[in-house]
Amino acid sequence: MSEVSLTAIDHSTDKNASLKQRLLRAEGSYRRRSMLLIAPLLIFLLISFVLPIGNILWKSFDNPEVVRALPTTLLALQGWDGESRPDEKVFVALVKDLKTAKDEGQIPSLIKRLGYEDGRYRTLLTMALRKLPDDGVESTSRSLIAQSTLWAEPSTWRSIQRAGRTLTAYYVLAAFDHQVDAQSGNIVELPKGQALYLSVLMRTLWMALVVTLLCVLFGYPVAYWLAKQPSSRANLWLIMVLLPFWTSLLVRTAGWIVLLQNGGLINHSMIALGLIDQPLQLVFNRVGVYISMTHILLPFVILPLYAVMKGISPNYVRAAVSLGAHPFRAFWSAYVPQTFAGVTAGALLVFIMAIGYYITPALLGGPGDQMLSYFVAFYTNTTINWGMAAALGSQLLIIVLLLYWVYSRVTRPANPAQRA
Amino acid sequence: MSSVPPYVRFRGVQKSYDGEQLVVKKLDLDIQRGEFLTLLGPSGSGKTTTLMMLAGFETPTQGEILLDGKPLHTVAPHQRGIGMVFQNYALFPHMTVAGNLAFPLKVRRMSAVDIELKVKRALDMVQLGHLAQRYPAQLSGGQQQRIALARALVFEPSLVLMDEPLGALDKQLREQMQLEIRRLHRQLGLTVVFVTHDQAEALTLSDRVAVFNDGVIQQIDTPKALYEHPCNSFVAHFIGENNALPGTVVSVSGAECRVRLADGSEVGARASTALSAGEPTSLSIRPERIALNVPSANSLSGRIEELIYLGDHVRVRLNVAGHEAFTAKVPIADMHDDWLAGHTVPVSWFSHDASALDPLVHH
Ligand SMILES: Nc1ncnc2c1ncn2[C@@H]1O[C@H](COP(=O)(O)OP(=O)(O)O)[C@@H](O)[C@H]1O
Ligand SMILES: [Mg+2]
């Protein structure tokens, strides 16, 4: 009896396997054809999206300066115990490397890079380069140490070793206000005066959060009202909502300066109406940034909300009222929960866009209102520090990914039927 | 019945959405306590609007609705205590079945123990106790419909409104649900106002049916009276199958009249009150009231065009008085073997089974 059922099971699994194979074969050509259709987009995304982002992520760890400039020094340091003063051959190698680097024009990037490890190395190297010991000198180490006792310190060489790795955590640590201590080699917080990015990051997140909340607060009623309009009129209003997109971001931002400045339209009319005596400071501070960013990002909340609300039958609220709920309660418990998907989609969109904002805070904010992107721009345009720019950029990227992960967990419906 | 004041009364109610067109033109309607009244009519005839006015989601542009003698507009919609089943059920998708049923009870601030008890009882009433923790999207159409029904009844309203509640179900399920709704109506002593465009459903369920067309009640009567004595051609056509023969009224004597048909033959019929001699009319006869091969006073000759054998009866399509779509339903026992397409047979009916109604405008 059991034999019979066993063979039956075997038979069925065998059949299943071949069915699966047949299904794969049957769908294979369809899948290949659809791959072909989306191939242009895939290639475009790869070139314009995946590669640059990969490059940025790579740049925040890439550490080529010292490796390129001091190859023999690093080689000579390999046998060093890390505690005592290095051998004479290390000093000789350094001088040799510095000479080559000088000829090849690698000195500025080397000085910049070693300066990140410890500011004192800047003068140390400049001094050494000004008076490089000749080949003939009897002890290279002694003449270098004569310039500065720092050359005798093992920590100096440890720093060179650390900066000489092909990959570095320096930029990423710096982006989180940390560094590797030159003496101990431990990861420590940056001293108070130098710490900057964590507070900028917090400020960025906070400003984005405020803008998101404002957008949802203003956008929700607008979307609700739009969804209640007959569609011909709603379309007209939707065009009005989208109107800001027809002008460039720069023009809109400049427009806000005109409106919000001390002698601007808003202050002017409020003084004329006797509401205030002194003009309010509405621009070149946080208020101006909030006003303008909310205005610019509002459509990104309204549109997904409108789409969601349009699909909600008025019968839900009616049903709740017929069941005895006060209209407010009916709205709150029968309507609002059905718009959560739209709210989270819109809010996430606004938040993600807001944390990357650069022009608006730069033009409408004060020095204390600059967001993380300002520093990314600063490092790419002004100091040409790609490592730092890339690390800060990656920081934003990782936060966005984290947010997205949280979002997908939070919005996963409790109802498994909707999950499918 | 007339001595009891009506439970719901529509008095001269009108409704317009756009200020130009009247969707409900003039509505006078009394509904008795415990009655099952159906609003039957084609799509767009104003049934939903009428129901929504009663529920309080639309306001009449004119006239008054009284509930239990009190003007309805003095009570806020959420305090009317009227149970309502919507066309697409309107079950809250973010709440479980139990949550949906508990909603009206929570709103009424009942204790958790009472709520649990009543929810369970309501679910048992529609035999879906095992689905309490499911979400509406996980239920079949028939199950959703039962839950919607249970939700409308769980807070024990005495008046329940249903707007085409069975429209989305297949035939078998619909018939099953009709029986269930009838059972609940009797068992709970409810007053039900039911909207449908399905005449069979209306006849199955109702104590009385109000036939709507163009925002006006054409006739309101028991199913039998509607079927047997339609008051105009619209009702005769909308309910059941009907043969309509155009003709002219020759004479009227009381409830009887004589009608001349298109081919010149004259037949007797019941007169609708509005007709007088010389007026055009449309003669309405139900197919099952027609006898073939039985010569009598109202006898015409008809040529058989088509015969369809249906087991329990046979449908015969005939050409009678120039009208090609004249249908007779004949019991199998009365069928003759020599009925073949092309044969001519006597076609007859009793005068009191034919109604002379208003002439058909279109067709
Ligand atoms: N909210 C509304 N606004 C404007 N017109 C409406 C509205 N609801 C219904 N109508 C119109 O009123 C007429 C009657 O509709 P309705 O009462 O829903 O009919 P039924 O339920 O009998 O199909 C239709 O012509 C419909 O287009
Ligand atoms: Mg309707």
Side-chain angles (χ1 to χ4, degrees):
Chain A
M1 189 66 209
S2 67
E3 255 172 58
V4 172
S5 63
L6 259 179
T7 49
I9 288 166
D10 270 347
H11 184 63
S12 74
T13 49
D14 183 47
K15 227 176 165 179
N16 276 346
S18 72
L19 183 63
K20 220 171 250 171
Q21 284 168 356
R22 267 180 288 152
L23 179 71
L24 276 177
R25 224 177 303 138
E27 289 191 339
S29 77
Y30 171 74
R31 207 172 307 136
R32 272 191 298 279
R33 248 178 302 149
S34 37
M35 278 305 280
L36 211 62
L37 278 176
I38 60 168
L41 178 68
L42 270 184
I43 293 167
F44 175 78
L45 280 181
L46 191 73
I47 293 171
S48 69
F49 203 69
V50 178
L51 289 182
I53 286 180
N55 188 253
I56 288 288
L57 284 173
W58 167 250
K59 278 230 164 72
S60 49
F61 293 99
D62 191 20
N63 194 28
E65 296 90 345
V66 180
V67 178
R68 214 181 293 143
L70 305 177
T72 36
T73 317
L74 293 170
L75 204 65
L77 275 172
Q78 266 173 7
W80 178 51
D81 63 4
E83 300 298 328
S84 56
R85 180 186 303 174
D87 292 343
E88 179 68 21
K89 68 172 186 190
V90 174
F91 288 86
V92 176
L94 176 72
V95 171
K96 177 170 167 275
D97 278 340
L98 284 179
K99 278 179 181 155
T100 327
K102 203 173 180 180
D103 296 339
E104 291 174 1
Q106 289 174 3
I107 295 300
S109 69
L110 176 69
I111 289 183
K112 198 156 91 183
R113 176 64 188 87
L114 281 174
Y116 297 157
E117 295 292 320
D118 190 327
R120 289 176 299 175
Y121 298 146
R122 207 161 294 186
T123 31
L124 188 67
L125 274 177
T126 325
M127 242 159 48
L129 279 161
R130 209 177 298 137
K131 248 174 67 188
L132 273 181
D134 291 326
D135 285 343
V137 86
E138 87 195 82
S139 169
T140 317
S141 60
R142 204 168 304 148
S143 65
L144 275 179
I145 291 165
Q147 284 177 14
S148 163
T149 51
L150 272 176
W151 288 118
E153 306 250 340
S155 67
T156 305
W157 297 96
R158 277 204 298 270
S159 295
I160 289 176
Q161 240 178 350
R162 215 171 27 244
R165 299 203 187 109
T166 41
L167 294 177
T168 178
Y170 168 79
Y171 302 113
V172 175
L173 286 176
F176 287 97
D177 286 346
H178 279 69
Q179 65 175 4
V180 175
D181 184 56
Q183 300 300 320
S184 64
N186 294 332
I187 294 173
V188 293
E189 277 179 38
L190 278 180
K192 275 256 163 0
Q194 289 175 40
L196 171 65
Y197 300 117
L198 274 185
S199 67
V200 170
L201 180 65
M202 285 304 139
R203 180 199 300 159
T204 305
L205 294 177
W206 171 250
M207 287 173 72
L209 186 71
V210 170
V211 169
T212 306
L213 289 179
L214 287 175
C215 282
V216 170
L217 214 63
F218 292 131
Y220 198 94
V222 174
Y224 180 71
W225 181 81
L226 276 174
K228 290 267 161 239
Q229 297 299 306
S231 32
S232 58
R233 200 166 336 145
N235 284 341
L236 189 72
W237 284 107
L238 271 180
I239 291 175
M240 305 292 252
V241 168
L242 291 174
L243 209 58
F245 287 131
W246 294 4
T247 49
S248 90
L249 182 65
L250 216 56
V251 173
R252 270 176 286 161
T253 309
W256 276 113
I257 298 182
V258 174
L259 282 177
L260 295 173
Q261 65 194 340
N262 280 355
L265 189 67
I266 290 175
N267 271 316
H268 200 75
S269 20
M270 283 207 289
I271 291 174
L273 287 171
L275 293 174
I276 48 173
D277 302 326
Q278 292 293 311
L280 294 175
Q281 185 63 38
L282 295 174
V283 76
F284 309 126
N285 61 6
R286 199 60 72 83
V287 178
V289 180
Y290 284 153
I291 291 176
S292 175
M293 280 180 73
T294 304
H295 167 240
I296 291 162
L297 293 172
L298 204 51
F300 294 99
V301 163
I302 292 177
L303 290 180
L305 264 179
Y306 173 76
V308 166
M309 286 172 168
K310 200 74 194 152
I312 301 175
S313 157
N315 278 350
Y316 289 111
V317 172
R318 288 178 164 180
V321 170
S322 83
L323 293 171
H326 186 274
F328 283 128
R329 173 145 189 198
F331 179 76
W332 184 251
S333 41
Y335 191 87
V336 173
Q338 296 194 56
T339 62
F340 277 164
V343 173
T344 39
L348 194 73
L349 204 60
V350 166
F351 190 84
I352 287 175
M353 289 175 64
I355 58 175
Y357 254 57
Y358 161 56
I359 293 183
T360 310
L363 292 181
L364 289 173
D369 306 318
Q370 299 311 315
M371 299 168 78
L372 207 53
S373 301
Y374 170 85
F375 294 89
V376 176
F378 172 78
Y379 280 119
T380 39
N381 297 335
T382 314
T383 64
I384 326 280
N385 181 347
W386 280 101
M388 211 50 229
L392 291 174
S394 309
Q395 198 177 41
L396 277 182
L397 180 69
I398 286 160
I399 285 165
V400 168
L401 290 179
L402 268 178
L403 263 176
Y404 185 76
W405 181 75
V406 170
Y407 164 78
S408 61
R409 305 230 79 187
V410 168
T411 56
R412 191 161 57 179
N415 169 357
Q418 285 177 6
R419 215 178 282 169
Chain B
M1 210 185 206
S2 57
S3 63
V4 188
Y7 186 41
V8 178
R9 164 167 274 180
F10 285 78
R11 252 197 335 226
V13 169
Q14 287 189 351
K15 174 70 187 174
S16 171
Y17 284 108
D18 50 10
E20 287 169 18
Q21 226 174 356
L22 284 175
V23 169
V24 171
K25 289 190 181 123
K26 182 173 175 300
L27 192 63
D28 288 292
L29 174 62
D30 287 352
I31 305 168
Q32 301 300 328
R33 195 180 281 274
E35 188 176 14
F36 197 118
L37 180 90
T38 296
L39 311 182
L40 173 68
S43 174
S45 57
K47 310 179 299 286
T48 298
T49 305
T50 304
L51 211 63
M52 288 299 168
M53 287 194 287
L54 182 51
F57 300 126
E58 300 290 353
T59 331
T61 20
Q62 203 181 323
E64 190 175 39
I65 305 172
L66 302 172
L67 178 66
D68 219 359
K70 287 187 291 285
L72 202 54
H73 62 83
T74 56
V75 188
H78 68 281
Q79 288 164 339
R80 293 185 183 181
I82 299 176
M84 184 137 189
V85 181
F86 289 84
Q87 196 160 3
N88 294 315
Y89 317 135
L91 292 174
F92 306 133
H94 53 288
M95 295 183 196
T96 60
V97 164
N100 267 280
L101 292 193
F103 184 78
L105 308 176
K106 276 191 190 147
V107 167
R108 286 173 172 75
R109 302 233 167 83
M110 285 192 188
S111 74
V113 182
D114 283 353
I115 290 178
E116 198 177 332
L117 197 74
K118 284 187 185 242
V119 166
K120 189 176 169 327
R121 209 182 296 153
L123 278 174
D124 289 343
M125 181 180 73
V126 293
Q127 289 127 34
L128 290 178
H130 55 295
L131 299 180
Q133 294 316 315
R134 297 264 191 99
Y135 283 88
Q138 295 169 292
L139 304 180
S140 73
Q143 290 169 336
Q144 288 185 25
Q145 159 45 224
R146 281 173 194 210
I147 298 303
L149 196 59
R151 188 179 68 174
L153 297 176
V154 71
F155 60 101
E156 294 164 16
S158 52
L159 176 60
V160 181
L161 314 182
M162 304 191 193
D163 189 1
E164 310 214 12
L166 309 181
L169 306 183
D170 60 53
K171 190 168 178 298
Q172 206 177 350
L173 208 51
R174 203 159 59 217
E175 282 165 3
Q176 197 183 331
M177 282 307 298
Q178 285 168 5
L179 294 181
E180 197 143 334
I181 290 173
R182 258 167 77 108
R183 175 176 69 82
L184 289 170
H185 167 239
R186 297 225 182 99
Q187 195 176 315
L188 305 176
L190 302 169
T191 308
V192 178
V193 183
F194 189 96
V195 165
T196 183
H197 62 256
D198 177 349
Q199 44 106 3
E201 191 166 285
L203 297 185
T204 309
L205 287 171
S206 324
D207 296 324
R208 282 196 304 159
V209 179
V211 182
F212 269 65
N213 192 35
D214 274 342
V216 175
I217 294 185
Q218 306 287 323
Q219 185 172 1
I220 173 160
D221 239 320
T222 61
K224 178 161 184 269
L226 276 182
Y227 190 84
E228 301 295 347
H229 306 295
C231 75
N232 61 29
S233 288
F234 176 81
V235 176
H237 269 269
F238 199 74
I239 296 181
E241 252 191 293
N242 181 50
N243 289 306
L245 293 175
T248 316
V249 180
V250 179
S251 63
V252 184
S253 58
E256 292 272 319
C257 68
R258 306 240 3 123
V259 173
R260 194 190 341 272
L261 300 179
D263 66 345
S265 51
E266 229 180 79
V267 290
R270 246 188 2 247
S272 87
T273 46
L275 289 173
S276 52
E279 275 186 292
T281 182
S282 169
L283 208 58
S284 157
I285 315 128
R286 300 287 180 196
E288 62 274 14
R289 296 288 179 181
I290 291 160
L292 303 185
N293 263 4
V294 187
S296 77
N298 279 324
S299 193
L300 304 171
S301 74
R303 203 184 64 218
I304 297 177
E305 302 279 344
E306 193 181 18
L307 236 116
I308 302 168
Y309 181 84
L310 287 164
D312 57 336
H313 70 270
V314 60
R315 285 178 70 90
V316 188
R317 191 162 63 79
L318 304 127
N319 184 334
V320 173
H323 187 76
E324 282 194 1
F326 195 90
T327 308
K329 276 190 196 172
V330 184
I332 290 299
D334 299 343
M335 188 181 153
H336 286 229
D337 288 337
D338 61 346
W339 290 356
L340 295 167
H343 280 219
T344 303
V345 291
V347 177
S348 62
W349 59 84
F350 294 113
S351 295
H352 60 258
D353 286 336
S355 309
L357 303 172
D358 53 313
L360 286 179
V361 184
H362 13 260
H363 272 290

